[in-house]
Amino acid sequence: MNREKLPEEIIARALCRHAGNPENATHMRAPLWAQYLPEARAVLKALEENGFHVLGPEKKM
């Protein structure tokens, strides 16, 4: 079963890949992408402070 990823996870995974790291690898029993969460949260905060809001995927009715 696939779960919806939060915007911060999507950004953290992208940052992990951008750094040349395998996002699904683990480090100290946690996914490697999780180490990029502080940077991902900083990106989201900067976007919100400048009027951009990440609401998540669109829901189809």
Side-chain angles (χ1 to χ4, degrees):
M1 179 171 130
N2 284 340
R3 65 174 178 78
E4 255 183 47
K5 293 180 178 94
L6 296 173
E8 62 187 8
E9 179 180 340
I10 294 168
I11 295 168
R13 285 176 175 273
L15 289 170
C16 187
R17 287 190 307 271
H18 181 71
N21 296 313
E23 66 187 85
N24 291 321
T26 58
H27 178 71
M28 297 181 69
R29 297 185 181 173
L32 190 55
W33 61 262
Q35 293 197 352
Y36 293 84
L37 282 170
E39 290 89 345
R41 290 180 182 126
V43 168
L44 287 171
K45 183 178 178 184
L47 287 171
E48 288 177 3
E49 288 172 347
N50 287 282
F52 295 92
H53 298 281
V54 180
L55 301 175
E58 290 182 350
K59 303 290 183 196
K60 300 207 176 183
M61 298 179 98

